[in-house]
Amino acid sequence: MKKLLIPAFAFWLSCLFPSCTSTSPNHFLKEADYRNKVEADFGQKKEILNRGNLFDIFNEDMSLEEREAMMFLYAYMTPGDISDYSGEFYLKNVRLALQNRKETSWGAGIPDMIFRHFVLPVRVNNENLDNAREVFRQELMPRVEKLSMYDAVLEVNHWCHEKVIYTPTDIRTSAPMATVKTAYGRCGEESTFLVAALRAVGIPARQVYTPRWAHTDDNHAWVEAWVDGKWYFLGACEPEPVLNLGWFNAPASRGMLMHTKVFGAYDGPEEVMKTTANYTEINIIDNYGQSAPVTVTVVDAQGKAVEGAHVEFKIYNYAEFFTVANKTTDAQGKASLSAGLGDMVVYASANDHFGLQKVSFGKDKEVTLTLSHRPGDVFTDTFHIVPPAEKANFPEVTDAQRKENTLRMAQEDSIRNAYVASFPTEEKAKAFAEGLKLDVNQTSTYILKSRGNHADIMQFLSNAAEKGQGARALELLSTLADKDLRDTPCSILEDHLYATDAKADVKEVLAPRIATEMLTPYRTYLQKALSAELAAQIKADPQVLMKWCKDSLSIRNDLSTIFTITSPEGVWRSRVTDSQSRDIFFVAAARSLGIPAWKDEVNGNICYRLNGKPVLVDFESSEGGSLSEGVLKATYQPIPRLDNPKYYTHFTLSKYDNGTFQLQNHPEDASWASLLKNGSSMSTGYYMMVTGSRMANGGVLSQVSFFTVDKGKTTVTPLCMRNNTEEVRVIGSFNSEALYTRPGTDEQVSVLNTTGRGYYIVGVLGVGQEPTNHALKDIEVKKAEFEKWGRTIVLLFTDEAAYKKFDRKEFPNLPSNVVFGIDKDGSILKMIAENMKLGSKPTLPVIILGDTFNRVVFESHGYTIGMGEQLLHVIHGL
């Protein structure tokens, strides 16, 4: 049979692409070798996805150029993107992209390879796909059609700022249209939005990630746009007067790794970090800072090179060693990476053995890593991690350019704020609830959180109330994340409400959300798709569903490498999926049949409830089983100024799974006292605990420890926080007699008169900028502790316009000891910059902790995560 399949498929291709061997200029894939590769990859994809008529779009009339562009997309899309979206959707986007190339002044100058990988693809990251290209194109084309390519990029970003500003959200990435509806998003959503907008007008663009910062806890995403033969970077929805400028110039110079995922098989000039079935990951660290390569040779206990070892390069961030690059050793046991001039930990595993050690890029060139440990070994190791030094480059910006840009941003704020003002007020939301006789506080809370999606949420509640299910509808909404309220249509919510028994458990049956997937109306679909006979068997014994998944679904993780999740409907249609989507499908199918089921938020286990008891689903075996758990306790000897270490800030736990360690996702407010002091139940297995003390220069004193949690037993291990022996010391000076202006008046007052004698905090803010928003949110989290401290926090704006632009409602939990003011003549910022040697234009916010003896003991400028924690750490040491 295999001998017949190849020529048969070749014949089919010859019919589908009758001129594939010609040199016609109408080819989309003009290079014959590359076209042959795409044809082969497309053919394999079509053979694998042979159910559900997923390729019927290729029966439609298309030009050769359109057909080859569609073939390119389908060759490298995930099974989920093929099964969850129609062929007509992709064809419309292809035609719009090709039309832009012909109609824009810059289209003809874009090389085929650049256009293919950075304009044509619809997907940017792991967002839900929508019709943004069509909608954005209609609004943007009139604004950019007479501009140069360079100015068009700046103009598109100004348009994006009219629509969206930065606000932290959860890890699910909103679709571009949903981000517009919400009017805010985190950096990953803002950058996805900007890339979609640039591609909508035919400008090549790509999303850039630093997977984790090395000097502070967090990551960041921004955008690069291709302009007249060169890549430039810009902050998404944060327009600057010129390109290659953003608040992150300085932190990016301290980055260890910058990468971007390029759709499809890509052969550009950049260093390739990874090649997958969907994308090529490239390393672009050299666009932002100095880098150097390190080659790691993995050997076994006898010193013999290990071929095929799995190698992970890890950055310390959020109290874990986060994997930023995966490599596989060659025949000589070697794996290489180029990264910024700082430290990483390298972890390698093979043949049930592993090893780890620190490497310093720029110092180490060749490192030998021995697989000296096995799961079950109890041991500890320590690392002193040093991040790269700051060496930022800034392009020149004239005062006139800055003034014009600031004016435009203020106008754009007013446009966006006018849209936000159209959302229901609390008063209207409560009146709506009273009219439907629903719980007023619950209802108004959900409506206010839904922002631009309020019409759908209100329609859902109104319809439910008419049917006598208003209270049940509120129960359903209580299971959703805030982002679900902002982007889930009424029809999807109604599918889950009305297709679920009114007495079913809310959390384990009614809830639509299972993990981090986009919500879909899977319940009615699956109830119809599952035969009555199969449904009855599953209800009688949920293990039948597990066995069906095992026998009927082809698990191809290698075809789904971009962390998107195939909908339950898509899994059913294609029967080809990844393990994560299979897990979600199992829970969705079980809930659709009224069976309580869930995915554990901490460890990812799939469970269902039978006769009141949880049953673990194991797709690797033919039987389910009871949960295997033990108890983990940790002892802790407090170090100065740290009585109760926090999860994600000071320590994390990761569990060994098939050669690598997987982070356990405990709640964000977990701590040693709540989690480990008295012991908590944990899945049995081998664990790694990471602890870290972050120092003022961004370095970390870390310890890793390894131990096993056995079934039915209590494991006790020490939680060791290495003491940062740096004493609080004077690092500069600031004249506490410095004057600032009270808002709304011309009255000037000194910092000293405001704070009285003693310590105080002074900050100069960059209103609406991501670093400032982060700092203020971090201070809000520590409100009670700052109020207990009791000293004054003076927050200054750069001018009256910035003060008026600041929306206090966005930061409702700032400590009561915060005082606002205006640094009208810039003298306070200038004084801090000069005394702390920050340069003439320091990146905002600039924050100092000083006393009225004019001594400064803490300074931070620009992007820093955990500002509240850092300030309090110093305060507690005073």
Side-chain angles (χ1 to χ4, degrees), residues 515-587:
T516 58
E517 75 283 7
M518 182 71 188
L519 298 185
T520 63
Y522 61 75
R523 209 166 297 239
T524 301
Y525 180 93
L526 292 179
Q527 288 171 354
K528 293 179 180 179
L530 291 163
S531 68
E533 180 182 5
L534 179 58
Q537 292 174 353
I538 293 172
K539 290 179 181 179
D541 180 10
Q543 285 299 112
V544 172
L545 177 58
M546 185 276 289
K547 294 176 181 176
W548 184 93
C549 290
K550 187 175 179 180
D551 295 340
S552 302
L553 300 180
S554 174
I555 304 303
R556 294 295 303 269
N557 291 327
D558 60 315
L559 298 180
S560 303
T561 58
I562 55 175
F563 307 111
T564 57
I565 298 174
T566 307
S567 72
E569 304 97 306
V571 171
W572 178 268
R573 279 191 290 268
S574 68
R575 306 292 170 90
V576 177
T577 190
D578 57 279
S579 55
Q580 181 177 218
S581 299
R582 173 206 57 200
D583 292 351
I584 290 172
F585 173 84
F586 176 93
V587 176

Side-chain angles (χ1 to χ4, degrees), residues 6 11 63 68-69 89 116 177 249 270 454 488 568 593 595 611 631 690 780 799 826 837 845:
I6 295 174
F11 173 76
S63 68
E68 289 186 351
F89 168 80
R116 179 171 68 224
M177 292 291 290
N249 282 61
E270 303 89 349
H454 60 269
T488 305
L593 297 177
I595 301 167
N611 299 323
V631 173
V690 176
E780 279 190 308
D799 52 39
K837 297 179 173 59

Side-chain angles (χ1 to χ4, degrees), residues 429-620:
K430 287 183 175 180
F432 172 81
E434 290 169 351
L436 295 180
K437 297 181 179 180
L438 296 174
D439 183 278
V440 172
N441 290 332
Q442 271 191 298
T443 303
S444 62
T445 296
Y446 297 142
I447 290 173
L448 293 176
K449 286 183 176 181
S450 66
R451 294 180 68 83
N453 196 44
H454 60 269
D456 278 84
I457 298 301
M458 294 170 78
Q459 187 66 54
F460 171 65
L461 290 172
S462 181
N463 293 347
E466 287 184 14
K467 299 177 186 293
Q469 295 198 48
R472 186 67 167 172
L474 288 175
E475 288 183 321
L476 187 151
L477 294 181
S478 73
T479 70
L480 302 182
D482 289 352
K483 189 173 289 180
D484 297 329
L485 297 171
R486 300 195 296 265
D487 67 3
T488 305
C490 172
S491 58
I492 292 178
L493 298 175
E494 290 187 334
D495 172 82
H496 292 279
L497 179 63
Y498 303 134
T500 304
D501 188 281
K503 297 179 180 179
D505 182 83
V506 174
K507 185 177 180 181
E508 297 178 1
V509 179
L510 175 64
R513 172 152 304 291
I514 298 164
T516 58
E517 75 283 7
M518 182 71 188
L519 298 185
T520 63
Y522 61 75
R523 209 166 297 239
T524 301
Y525 180 93
L526 292 179
Q527 288 171 354
K528 293 179 180 179
L530 291 163
S531 68
E533 180 182 5
L534 179 58
Q537 292 174 353
I538 293 172
K539 290 179 181 179
D541 180 10
Q543 285 299 112
V544 172
L545 177 58
M546 185 276 289
K547 294 176 181 176
W548 184 93
C549 290
K550 187 175 179 180
D551 295 340
S552 302
L553 300 180
S554 174
I555 304 303
R556 294 295 303 269
N557 291 327
D558 60 315
L559 298 180
S560 303
T561 58
I562 55 175
F563 307 111
T564 57
I565 298 174
T566 307
S567 72
E569 304 97 306
V571 171
W572 178 268
R573 279 191 290 268
S574 68
R575 306 292 170 90
V576 177
T577 190
D578 57 279
S579 55
Q580 181 177 218
S581 299
R582 173 206 57 200
D583 292 351
I584 290 172
F585 173 84
F586 176 93
V587 176
R591 289 182 181 178
S592 298
L593 297 177
I595 301 167
W598 65 94
K599 182 173 184 175
D600 190 282
E601 293 180 356
V602 174
N603 54 39
N605 286 340
I606 302 299
C607 303
Y608 64 87
R609 197 173 297 280
L610 185 64
N611 299 323
K613 295 182 179 180
V615 179
L616 177 66
V617 176
D618 184 358
F619 290 106
E620 303 304 318

Side-chain angles (χ1 to χ4, degrees), residues 339-416:
L341 306 183
D343 296 343
M344 290 192 196
V345 165
V346 180
Y347 169 89
S349 63
N351 306 319
D352 208 29
H353 285 73
F354 69 91
L356 72 166
Q357 70 181 71
K358 186 179 84 169
V359 299
S360 297
F361 289 83
K363 296 179 180 178
D364 300 326
K365 294 183 179 179
E366 299 276 346
V367 173
T368 300
L369 196 163
T370 304
L371 304 180
S372 54
H373 299 288
R374 299 189 65 178
D377 290 353
V378 178
F379 69 99
T380 62
D381 207 345
T382 59
F383 303 109
H384 181 187
I385 304 297
V386 178
E390 182 178 312
K391 293 183 179 179
N393 293 314
F394 294 92
E396 290 188 10
V397 179
T398 66
D399 291 340
Q401 286 176 315
R402 175 60 63 195
K403 184 177 180 180
E404 180 184 0
N405 194 72
T406 300
L407 178 62
R408 285 204 63 180
M409 290 183 69
Q411 294 169 340
E412 290 150 14
D413 287 336
S414 65
I415 293 171
R416 185 181 58 258

